[in-house]
Structure formats: C-alpha cells, structure tokens
Amino acid sequence: MHQKNILQGIIAYPITPFDRQERVNLSLFKLLVERLVLSGAHGLAPLGSTGVLPYLTDEEKEAVAEAAIQQVNRRVPVVVGVSNLTTERTIYHARFAEKAGADAVMVIPMSYWKLTEDEIFTHYSKVAESISIPIMAYNNPATGGIDMSAALLKKLLQIPNVTMIKESTGDVQRMHYLRRELGEAVAFYNGSNPLALCAFAAGAKGWCTAASNLAPDSVLELYNAVQANDLAAARAVFDRLFALLQFIVAKGLPRTIKAGLKIQGVESGYLRSPLQPLAEADYRQLESILLGVR
C-alpha cells in the first residue's frame, strides 16, 4: 500500500453560488473561495455535496474546478469532487481535474442501482488507473446512496493512489477500525460535522467541513487545540460549535451555508432548483445560533 498524505487539518467546502437565473456565478464563487483561503483553511474541496456537484452540467463542473484551482493558486491543496453515476464520466472529470492542476480528487460511489462491493472496487480501480494524483474515497450514504463497509474502505486503500478516506456516516467506530487495521499512518478524514471532536480522538488527519464558511475561527481553534493535546480547550470550542454543526447537517449544507453567509453580510447568491432557501423560522434559528460562534 502506497501512502501519500497531502492533506492535514481543515479542508473547507465552498458552496456553488448561482445568479437569479440559476446560472453558476463564477465571479462570486471565486470571492467565496478567496474568503476560505484567507480564513486559514488548510485545504479546499470544491464540488462536494456542499457545492451541489450532482446539480451541475459537465461544463459547469469544469468551470467551477478551474475557477477554484486558479483562485487558490497553489496556496493550499485543492481536492476536486469528480463523482458521477458512471465510471466513464468519473474518469473524464478526474482527468480534467488533474490536467487543471488539482492536487487530488474526491470520489463517492453514486448509485441508482445498489452497487456490489466488487463493482465499487472496480470503479475506484479504473479511476485510479486513469490519473496519477491521489484519490480520496468518500463514504456518505446519505447523499451517495451507498454505505461502504469498513472492510471495503480498507480494501480500497490497496489501490495505489487511493490514499485517503473521508468517512461521513457518523459511525466513529469505522475510524477506530481503520486505525487499528492500518496503523497510525492511515489518512482518514472526518466528514460528519457533529462528530468532529470524536473523530480527531480516533485519529482523523483532518476535518472536511462546510462550517469554515460560517465559523472559521472556531473551526481552526478546535483543530489547534487537538493538535496541542489540550482536551479541555477542544471540548470548550466544540461545545460552542455543536449547535451550528447539528443545524447545518439537519437542514442541508447548501441552503444553510448560503443563509448563514447572508446573515453575516456576505453575498452568497442563489440556489438551483429544486433547492429552496431556508424557511423563515429556520433562518431566525440560524441567526440565533451564529451569535454564539465566530
């Protein structure tokens, strides 16, 4: 198994903003990317679920990937989401991302028909053979429709350039399993916001989160406290963040991050149908939550 751990720390997820006509607003997207870089994020991951990857055309995905890579300009690593229902389209986007200058790609096995473990393994193998940059295997049954077992995640890491696992099921035991089975060197990342502190305790190398859009200082403070082995400080920050982390997951990342940015006076554009803005009561609740974090 070859390991090339290029990512550590806070990997921030930008939203993909749209204009009133529901066209991708690339100029605003670049401003939001710049804001995340300046906030201190250790890496950026455009075209994740926060960036509504499945709602974009191929041309839009390419434009967003290019815009993110150009705006970041090598200041931090960029991990581009390239997932698609078919292996052929996933390979296409992975190759495009590599050529555009991405440091790594993220792949979630999206499904209409439930895929077997052999089909998932072959899917990742074919994508890996098509590019030379690292792959982050992303497990999120809530959005992809497939829950990869801990044993399958371990097997995927046998593929030479599948070097990272992003675990978003909320099952912290899988993280403990991966560390036990593969040792301290395994590069797994937490994608379940409410489990951030537990995941770091389990050995996560980083936290893939959209929360950096709304509370970048607290997110970094949590990571730094963990790095300093200051459990009391980490717990205090996590307690302060917890209501926000629960809320953005429960109400949906694209709409909650967009609303939160608006509450903070940051232009965040519009959503693409069928997504709709937060209901008024939820918007007011988010306003109240944001008063307690930064």
Side-chain angles (χ1 to χ4, degrees):
M1 188 191 327
H2 306 285
Q3 286 292 344
K4 186 184 177 188
N5 180 20
I6 62 161
L7 285 175
Q8 188 152 328
I10 303 302
I11 298 99
Y13 282 68
I15 60 168
T16 301
F18 300 89
D19 64 18
R20 287 182 183 274
Q21 286 73 45
E22 298 194 8
R23 296 171 301 204
V24 174
N25 187 337
L26 283 177
S27 59
L28 178 54
F29 174 73
K30 287 185 175 183
L31 290 175
L32 295 173
V33 164
E34 182 67 18
R35 185 173 174 272
L36 287 172
V37 173
L38 295 179
S39 78
H42 303 112
L44 230 74
L47 298 174
S49 44
T50 305
V52 294
L53 169 72
Y55 293 12
L56 304 178
T57 66
D58 284 358
E59 294 75 19
E60 288 170 338
K61 292 172 189 174
E62 292 174 3
V64 168
E66 281 187 322
I69 291 163
Q70 289 168 5
Q71 188 65 36
V72 171
N73 195 25
R74 298 288 174 193
R75 287 175 288 175
V76 296
V78 176
V79 185
V80 175
V82 298
S83 310
N84 202 280
L85 279 170
T86 68
T87 304
E88 181 273 329
R89 282 287 91 184
T90 306
I91 289 171
Y92 172 87
H93 288 296
R95 284 176 169 163
F96 182 90
E98 180 176 30
K99 188 175 179 182
D103 297 281
V105 296
M106 182 171 63
V107 176
I108 184 172
M110 299 169 68
S111 175
Y112 181 84
W113 294 108
K114 186 178 174 69
L115 303 178
T116 67
E117 293 203 344
D118 284 345
E119 287 170 334
I120 293 168
F121 185 83
T122 302
H123 177 68
Y124 276 98
S125 295
K126 287 182 176 179
V127 176
E129 289 164 4
S130 304
I131 57 173
S132 58
I133 56 176
I135 295 172
M136 177 184 281
Y138 178 21
N139 189 38
N140 189 350
T143 55
I146 295 173
D147 188 1
M148 293 189 281
S149 68
L152 176 58
L153 294 175
K154 176 186 174 182
K155 186 180 177 185
L156 290 179
L157 288 169
Q158 296 170 7
I159 301 169
N161 50 334
V162 177
T163 63
M164 300 171 282
I165 298 289
K166 179 187 172 190
E167 239 298 320
S168 297
T169 59
D171 180 6
V172 76
Q173 292 307 316
R174 292 186 204 208
M175 299 180 188
H176 286 291
Y177 171 86
L178 289 170
R179 192 174 67 163
R180 280 198 312 272
E181 291 292 308
L182 300 167
E184 296 292 332
V186 63
F188 68 84
Y189 302 80
N190 175 49
S192 177
N193 284 298
L195 280 186
L197 187 55
C198 291
F200 279 129
K205 299 286 186 187
W207 177 16
C208 302
T209 182
S212 292
N213 290 277
L214 305 182
D217 292 348
S218 291
V219 167
L220 279 175
E221 195 180 342
L222 174 59
Y223 176 71
N224 291 334
V226 169
Q227 290 301 106
N229 288 315
D230 189 342
L231 180 58
R235 278 180 176 160
V237 181
F238 183 69
D239 287 346
R240 194 167 73 229
L241 274 171
F242 188 65
L244 175 65
L245 300 179
Q246 274 195 314
F247 184 90
I248 62 176
V249 172
K251 301 297 181 180
L253 294 170
R255 64 174 72 89
T256 54
I257 300 304
K258 184 195 131 19
L261 288 169
K262 182 179 178 183
I263 288 166
Q264 294 179 339
V266 178
E267 176 58 43
S268 56
Y270 297 83
L271 296 165
R272 173 167 279 177
S273 301
L275 292 179
Q276 295 293 316
L278 277 184
E280 183 66 21
D282 292 333
Y283 189 89
R284 298 302 167 207
Q285 185 182 354
L286 181 55
E287 278 186 318
S288 175
I289 290 170
L290 286 172
L291 291 175
V293 294
R294 63 184 187 280

